[in-house]
């Protein structure tokens, strides 16, 4: 689905599908350089990171192993609830491995901070984060992010995996959701 199908629900389009793909390719080149000759386990954070994880992994010109976690601090609203819940854990043992967490957005930082602490306790060789979007003005918890696509304003965005009540995930672009949709 493209933005024209939901244009009355969006204030504006922040990033087009083409811009997103170019940014992910740029991030992939940096990841390849940083992990050259190293084993890499890429961990996607469900559900939102599905699109980013798939396209970033395909942009990498190397083998990577993939796994998934489902961790939530949102519920059904537009603001973080502040309570982190683990919904699905990793299948792989990460001890002694390089782990790259892939997420679509860092908002408050609460979920990613908790996730890094949780994964670090499992004795990996390294844990780093790659995210397509980050909201610096919304950060409530510092999170060291190695790969960031774009910093964005503290607005509610949808598309490319980002949702509002499970809608808009399949939007190819990323846009700011109009307040009339969630008010």
């Amino acid at each position: 689905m493209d933005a024209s199908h939901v244009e009355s629900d969006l204030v504006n389009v922040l990033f087009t599908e083409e811009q997103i793909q170019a940014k992910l390719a740029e991030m992939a080149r940096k990841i390849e350089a940083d992990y050259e000759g190293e084993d890499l386990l890429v961990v996607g954070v469900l559900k939102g990171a599905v699109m980013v994880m798939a396209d970033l992994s395909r942009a990498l010109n190397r083998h990577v192993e993939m796994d998934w976690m489902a961790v939530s601090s949102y519920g059904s609203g537009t603001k973080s609830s502040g309570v982190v819940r683990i919904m699905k854990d990793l299948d792989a043992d990460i001890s002694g491995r390089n782990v790259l967490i892939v997420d679509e957005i860092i908002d408050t930082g609460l979920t990613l901070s908790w996730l890094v602490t949780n994964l670090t306790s499992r004795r990996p060789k390294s844990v780093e984060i790659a995210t397509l979007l980050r909201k610096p003005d919304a950060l409530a918890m510092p999170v060291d992010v190695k790969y960031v696509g774009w910093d964005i304003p503290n607005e509610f965005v949808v598309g490319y995996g980002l949702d509002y009540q499970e809608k808009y995930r399949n939007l190819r672009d990323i846009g700011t959701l109009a307040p009339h949709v969630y008010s």
Side-chain angles (χ1 to χ4, degrees), residues 78-168:
T78 61
K79 301 280 188 206
S80 177
S81 68
V83 177
V84 178
R85 298 180 329 166
I86 188 163
M87 311 299 280
K88 184 221 174 287
D89 206 348
L90 294 173
D91 294 325
D93 177 5
I94 65 169
S95 61
R97 301 192 64 190
N98 293 304
V99 175
L100 179 63
I101 301 168
V102 176
D103 208 353
E104 80 284 11
I105 192 166
I106 297 176
D107 197 332
T108 63
L110 176 66
T111 303
L112 264 293
S113 176
W114 180 90
L115 187 54
V116 167
T117 300
N118 179 285
L119 294 181
T120 300
S121 74
R122 302 178 195 196
R123 299 182 317 276
K125 181 176 181 180
S126 68
V127 176
E128 300 291 351
I129 300 170
T131 187
L132 185 60
L133 304 173
R134 176 176 59 187
K135 296 181 181 179
D137 294 339
L139 285 174
M141 180 84 60
V143 180
D144 185 23
V145 184
K146 189 164 187 177
Y147 310 99
V148 178
W150 292 286
D151 283 330
I152 63 169
N154 190 14
E155 299 172 341
F156 195 79
V157 294
V158 293
Y160 200 71
L162 295 152
D163 77 301
Y164 173 65
Q165 295 184 342
E166 295 301 322
K167 295 178 183 170
Y168 307 98

